Amino acid sequence: MAPGSFAEYTVVPAHIATLVPAVTPEYLTLLVSGTTAYISLKELGGLEEGKKVLVTAAAGGTGQFAVQLAKKAKCHVIGTCSSAQKSAFLRSIGCDRPIDYSMERVGPVLRQEYPGGVDVVYESVGGAMFDLAVQALAIKGRLIVIGFISGYQTPTGLSPVRAETLPAKLLQKSASVRGFFLNHYLSEYREAMGHLVKMCASGDLVCQVDLGDLSAGGRFTGLEAVFRAVDYMYMGRNTGKVVVELPHSVNSKL
């Protein structure tokens, strides 16, 4: 959680480092993605047994954790994804109703199968998906915004908010929209990270990593592969957290 991404080495104070049981990429998934899902759902989700939870981009780096944590809270989980492979992955981690939007439309599925709406939406796509999520909210429903990947490549990174319609839609349902940015919840970070590391180590949490083996150029190895990894993520090809491997270089003087 310190500045210095896209580097082979970085120096951080020991007190902000996290001790992990093994040097494996699975633990990297927890640093931002795992803690974002854990803290946001704990602080803003109000999860209870039987609640219906919709997770967008559910097979992605953060969505995978939202699905699993909601299931552990005994919720009914719906997850959107873009392929049959991702749909199968979601079922494997407990998702009750994967919606592969390459094969079926999200809006009609939600209206037909969940006419009473969903209680919590964990939203990271933005744009048209955000609009569908607002429409799908149940009475007193909660929508948690943790990102908007569909707008990251626009000049401002933001899409216009239709202020003339959103308030009415929320008012009609006594619903709410809350934004979550991890840096504003760092007081909760250490506890969350410790809990997630134990879950991962015990096998109680699936921490899916995508090293790019199925990408056009093969596995993401070395800093020169970062641009491919980012493109791969923006194209929605990844299942789980995208990780770039950095080869170890041994210096006998160290």
Side-chain angles (χ1 to χ4, degrees), residues 14 26 30 33 45 48 50 53 62 74 87 93 100 105-106 108-109 113 128 195 207 211 217 242 249:
E26 284 73 22
L30 304 177
S33 296
E48 297 175 1
V53 178
T62 307
K74 299 182 178 180
S87 182
I93 60 172
D100 173 3
R105 295 171 59 199
V106 176
V109 169
E113 298 183 21
H195 184 70
C207 304
L211 297 169
V242 176
S249 57

Side-chain angles (χ1 to χ4, degrees), residues 124-251:
S124 61
V125 177
M129 187 65 77
F130 174 85
D131 293 342
L132 288 174
V134 171
Q135 295 283 5
L137 284 172
I139 301 297
K140 298 182 182 179
R142 308 176 184 207
L143 192 155
I144 305 170
V145 178
I146 62 99
F148 43 94
I149 193 169
S150 64
Y152 289 170
Q153 291 177 296
T154 62
T156 62
L158 295 169
S159 57
V161 175
R162 290 189 290 222
E164 72 279 10
T165 60
L166 183 59
K169 292 183 181 301
L170 297 178
L171 183 61
Q172 289 165 2
K173 300 178 179 181
S174 292
S176 63
V177 176
R178 294 285 301 272
F180 178 89
F181 184 47
L182 184 59
N183 284 10
H184 298 149
Y185 290 83
L186 292 182
S187 61
E188 311 289 328
Y189 185 81
R190 180 65 60 180
E191 183 273 333
M193 193 63 187
H195 184 70
L196 291 167
V197 166
K198 289 180 182 177
M199 291 178 70
C200 181
S202 67
D204 196 32
L205 189 70
V206 174
C207 304
Q208 183 73 16
V209 170
D210 194 326
L211 297 169
D213 291 309
L214 299 179
S215 69
R219 181 170 288 218
F220 304 132
T221 304
L223 289 180
E224 63 275 12
V226 167
F227 79 94
R228 286 200 301 114
V230 173
D231 281 347
Y232 181 75
M233 180 184 69
Y234 277 132
M235 289 187 292
R237 306 292 290 276
N238 61 297
T239 300
K241 186 74 172 178
V242 176
V243 172
V244 177
E245 291 182 312
L246 298 181
H248 295 289
S249 57
V250 179
N251 189 329

Side-chain angles (χ1 to χ4, degrees), residues 44-136:
L44 307 178
L47 300 185
E48 297 175 1
E49 184 175 354
K51 294 284 189 182
K52 296 179 179 66
V53 178
L54 170 64
V55 180
T56 64
T62 307
Q64 63 172 326
F65 295 114
V67 168
Q68 294 177 81
L69 294 171
K71 283 304 298 178
K72 291 182 185 302
K74 299 182 178 180
C75 297
H76 177 93
V77 182
I78 309 133
T80 69
C81 63
S82 60
S83 70
Q85 176 193 11
K86 293 183 181 184
S87 182
F89 167 69
L90 289 178
R91 289 194 184 280
S92 76
I93 60 172
C95 184
D96 297 287
R97 179 48 164 109
I99 304 175
D100 173 3
Y101 54 77
S102 71
M103 300 296 294
E104 51 186 347
R105 295 171 59 199
V106 176
V109 169
L110 293 174
R111 287 193 296 272
Q112 293 165 16
E113 298 183 21
Y114 302 94
V118 296
D119 302 294
V120 179
V121 180
Y122 185 86
E123 218 293 279
S124 61
V125 177
M129 187 65 77
F130 174 85
D131 293 342
L132 288 174
V134 171
Q135 295 283 5

